[in-house]
Amino acid sequence: MSNIPAHLDILSPEDVLAAIHHTSTTVTVRGLTFAVRAPTITEICELMARFPDLLELLDGSKEDAADKGDAILHLCRRAPAAVAAFSACAMDRAGNIEFERALLSKPDDFRIDLAAAAAEALFREHGTLQSFFGKTVQRLQDLGLTNVSSIIWRILDSMSTTETAAQPQSPKRRGGRKAA
């Protein structure tokens, strides 16, 4: 006999999985309305494993001047397959290589707008870029991937150093004698 009250509806593991859904948002691109969701941290980790140079691109230090500071455009130019895989995750087709290839065959403006919508969903769910990568690093460490997590920490450190360097500094006083 179980100590569970009879009035509780106990779900099977399959029913639990069927009841859990990602938070999605509706977007309209090229007149088509559809749902996108934030890729999960696990999906992002899998993307990094499939596309190792994605970390280098996320660093931003090798950005093309032609991209005018637009990270999505930069990634679309340098790693279109990685962007297609990221967008496929947002359309609930993570790891579907055929779907990713089909995305690559679509017009650039659609792919860029879709990637931007996926990035917006990602940051809406996970917060700032640093908080997202903080969660990602923790997940990588939990999986035993300490080398990748240390690369991400270096990127985060360089981002915070860049932000600090960009802030105006107050003039420093120098000791010594005044010139005559």
Side-chain angles (χ1 to χ4, degrees):
M1 294 289 293
S2 171
N3 292 337
I4 300 173
H7 68 281
L8 289 179
D9 187 18
I10 305 299
L11 299 175
S12 70
E14 291 77 14
D15 290 339
V16 170
L17 290 179
I20 302 297
H21 302 285
H22 292 281
T23 303
S24 64
T25 186
T26 303
V27 297
T28 302
V29 177
R30 286 187 133 214
L32 302 171
T33 302
F34 53 93
V36 295
R37 65 168 177 83
T40 66
I41 291 172
T42 301
E43 290 167 345
I44 295 294
C45 291
E46 289 172 357
L47 286 175
M48 286 187 221
R50 280 180 58 201
F51 303 99
D53 57 338
L54 190 57
L55 284 175
E56 177 186 324
L57 295 173
L58 289 171
D59 182 8
S61 65
K62 297 186 169 124
E63 189 171 306
D64 238 340
D67 297 333
K68 300 180 178 112
D70 186 328
I72 299 285
L73 187 58
H74 176 68
L75 288 171
C76 284
R77 286 182 194 277
R78 294 279 311 277
V83 173
F86 176 76
S87 297
C89 289
M91 295 183 78
D92 221 10
R93 299 294 183 270
N96 185 328
I97 305 298
E98 288 180 33
F99 191 82
E100 294 170 17
R101 285 188 189 130
L103 282 175
L104 285 170
S105 71
K106 299 305 173 191
D108 290 342
D109 65 325
F110 172 78
R111 290 184 299 118
I112 291 168
D113 289 350
L114 174 58
E120 281 183 35
L122 178 76
F123 295 129
R124 186 173 27 260
E125 185 163 320
H126 295 290
T128 66
L129 185 62
Q130 289 201 336
S131 70
F132 169 75
F133 278 112
K135 291 175 188 176
T136 303
V137 166
Q138 184 60 52
R139 180 72 176 125
L140 288 168
Q141 289 174 343
D142 292 347
L143 295 171
L145 302 172
T146 55
N147 289 340
V148 176
S149 66
S150 68
I151 292 170
I152 293 175
W153 277 128
R154 283 193 301 250
I155 292 170
L156 290 174
D157 286 343
S158 72
M159 288 169 62
S160 63
T161 303
T162 303
E163 289 171 5
T164 304
Q167 293 175 354
Q169 301 289 323
S170 59
K172 294 181 182 177
R173 295 181 187 246
R174 296 183 183 185
R177 298 184 315 197
K178 291 184 179 179

